[in-house]
Amino acid sequence: MTLPKTYRIKSFGCQMNVYDGERMAELLSARGMTAADGEDADLVVLNTCHIREKAADKAYSDVGRLTRDDGSKPLVALAGCVAQAEGAEAQKRSKLIDMVVGPQAYHRLPEMVAEAAAGRKSVDTDMPAISKFDALPRRKRSGPSAFLSVQEGCDKFCTYCVVPYTRGAEISRPFADIAAEAEQLVAGGAREITLLGQNVNAWESDGRDLAGLIRHLASFGELERIRYTTSHPVNMGDALIQAHADVPKLMPYLHLPVQSGSDPILKAMNRSHTTLSYLETIAKVRQARPDIAISGDFIVGFPGESDEDFAATLRIVDEVRYAAAFSFKYSPRPGTPAASMEGQIPQGIMDERLARLQARLAEHSTAFNAGCVGRTVPVLIDRVGRKPGQMIGKSPWLQSVFLSTDAGIGDMVDARLTHALPNSLGGELVSMAEAA
Ligand code: 5AD
Ligand code: SF4
């Protein structure tokens, strides 16, 4: 087979995977391949997530569906966290997979593609000391809102989580590299940058912490908004909290997963924070930035979770009044300590708890959105809506705002928020803050 001319990358899971997917696309484009959205690409990369139930099974069934009606198939790369977890096993389970490439090795994808085109299968799940970032091409074009990975991996070893195994040890990218990539993104059109890391607020380099990095980026004239995710409660230091008070470009939004509102469960999860320390952090953050939107992650049905433990989770939800949240049923991940703990919770109970938790979370997010009605806020337009003349953008609190406007993608407009929907807001244009 000759080298593929077209490729399609499908990313699942977290924003880190979205970022990796973009970088893989840039790598392949730099080798002369072009992106093909249709089903018929010569090369398909499945950039998988391993965080929850049946992730691997789902990946294999996705691979199975790549065979075409005439019996031929594209070159297939299994990438992401399932690739890391399965390694060489993947090609034993599915003959259709030509390449298995982990999240720390994808800079080698073009060479692996050339091998695969010559009929040779390959596996690369190394976590090389030399950073993949050094081997990736410069960023050229960017949408108005760009992701920038600054930190990878995790040393915290929460007992339910696969990330320390799939993404490896916690490492911070060097400050100079991040600053250079941020400049490229801004030159390429980004007006908002979201700094990404599994423990982004643990980032440090050359004596700087995340607050220092944010302050540096805030000095870029054309960059208007800075965000970061995901933070760990124990790394939420005073300097970062202070940045929320005095860096106007740092958006009033903090994703700070708590997972559970019960101290015994937090201990069993090895979370290294308590409900009290978490609530104290939230109070400090709110003091620094009273209008901040807090979002969180929750797991229901962790092994040993009693009705009382679950009730404590509902209480912390009421106390924090989350503006947004992600909630999941506990899923035993092979190889993690919690998977072999006693007291695994039956599915029926997990279903019931998840429904109750999500109903409570929805009450708070609806109330948060309703509380914004009447405000005039800057909206960064990032998508075209479905109705004629409709555009969609983001408020400072990361809400989607629907607007009728002839402003284009990348414009920042002032909008009065007129009505709250369950997961978004409607607004009307006040004035065009800036032209495209
Ligand atoms: N089961 C259920 N949810 C999980 N998460 C991580 N691991 C698991 C698991 N084994 C959730 C956590 C984390 C989010 C990214 O996914 O809430 O914050
Ligand atoms: Fe999924 Fe975690 Fe991997 Fe992201 S890092 S893709 S959430 S397993």
Side-chain angles (χ1 to χ4, degrees), residues 60-399:
Y60 288 113
S61 84
D62 287 345
V63 167
R65 269 184 269 119
L66 294 175
T67 310
R68 302 185 185 110
D69 291 343
D70 65 0
S72 67
K73 73 167 210 48
L75 290 179
V76 177
L78 186 72
C81 294
V82 172
Q84 189 67 36
E86 297 277 295
E89 200 48 39
Q91 287 167 337
K92 291 195 194 124
R93 261 184 84 172
S94 171
K95 298 266 172 291
L96 300 173
I97 300 172
D98 302 287
M99 295 152 267
V100 179
V101 59
Q104 306 303 350
Y106 65 76
H107 54 295
R108 301 200 186 124
L109 189 58
E111 284 67 42
M112 294 171 79
V113 171
E115 289 282 306
R120 285 187 293 275
K121 296 191 174 212
S122 56
V123 178
D124 195 337
T125 51
D126 283 357
M127 297 198 178
I130 295 177
S131 159
K132 66 175 176 251
F133 294 107
D134 296 339
L136 295 173
R138 288 169 60 84
R139 315 298 309 263
K140 289 201 184 101
R141 272 191 313 278
S142 168
S145 180
F147 288 140
L148 203 178
S149 171
V150 304
Q151 180 279 329
E152 288 197 80
C154 182
D155 295 337
K156 300 240 173 10
F157 290 94
C158 297
T159 52
Y160 51 80
C161 189
V162 286
V163 169
Y165 312 97
T166 57
R167 292 267 171 176
E170 211 164 283
I171 54 147
S172 291
R173 285 180 73 189
F175 170 77
D177 293 8
I178 296 167
E181 187 171 330
E183 276 172 34
Q184 291 162 20
L185 288 169
V186 171
R191 308 186 74 177
E192 169 175 280
I193 289 183
T194 302
L195 303 172
L196 296 181
Q198 260 93 29
N199 276 299
V200 72
N201 57 346
W203 179 86
E204 56 178 355
S205 158
D206 302 325
R208 284 182 208 246
D209 59 9
L210 189 68
L213 176 60
I214 288 168
R215 286 179 194 279
H216 176 77
L217 297 185
S219 70
F220 291 15
E222 304 90 339
L223 184 63
E224 301 192 45
R225 291 180 165 187
I226 303 166
R227 302 181 185 275
Y228 61 94
T229 198
T230 289
S231 295
H232 193 288
V234 297
N235 297 115
M236 206 61 218
D238 289 342
L240 185 53
I241 293 175
Q242 185 59 32
H244 277 286
D246 57 26
V247 180
K249 289 183 183 180
L250 182 57
M251 291 293 101
Y253 187 96
L254 174 63
H255 183 60
L256 200 64
V258 69
Q259 312 299 357
S260 165
S262 154
D263 284 321
I265 294 295
L266 289 176
K267 194 156 194 289
M269 287 176 164
N270 191 31
R271 283 292 291 174
S272 57
H273 63 81
T274 61
T275 51
L276 184 63
S277 68
Y278 180 87
L279 289 171
E280 282 170 356
T281 302
I282 297 287
K284 278 202 244 172
V285 171
R286 284 202 162 126
Q287 204 171 8
R289 181 81 206 223
D291 68 337
I292 198 160
I294 305 287
S295 83
D297 287 346
F298 297 86
I299 297 176
V300 299
F302 185 83
E305 186 187 69
S306 65
D307 287 340
E308 210 175 295
D309 294 319
F310 177 66
T313 297
L314 293 179
R315 277 200 301 277
I316 206 167
V317 166
D318 288 342
E319 202 147 338
V320 175
R321 292 169 283 114
Y322 289 91
F326 303 91
S327 48
F328 313 100
K329 286 187 281 183
Y330 169 70
S331 151
R333 309 313 298 137
T336 59
S340 52
M341 282 181 188
E342 285 179 11
Q344 302 283 328
I345 306 293
Q347 282 296 327
I349 294 181
M350 286 208 269
D351 287 336
E352 191 250 340
R353 287 181 186 166
L354 185 66
R356 284 175 62 198
L357 174 63
Q358 291 187 335
R360 191 70 65 91
L361 289 166
E363 281 174 28
H364 289 291
S365 58
T366 306
F368 184 86
N369 287 347
C372 296
V373 170
R375 286 187 191 174
T376 296
V377 301
V379 172
L380 177 58
I381 309 254
D382 58 9
R383 271 179 299 151
V384 178
R386 269 204 225 126
K387 295 186 190 152
Q390 189 185 53
M391 300 298 284
I392 308 171
K394 289 284 183 325
S395 76
W397 303 282
L398 209 56
Q399 297 143 310

Side-chain angles (χ1 to χ4, degrees), residues 12-14 17 48-51 81 162-163 166-167 198:
F12 304 86
C14 64
N17 260 21
T48 57
C49 172
H50 201 235
I51 201 122
C81 294
V162 286
V163 169
T166 57
R167 292 267 171 176
Q198 260 93 29

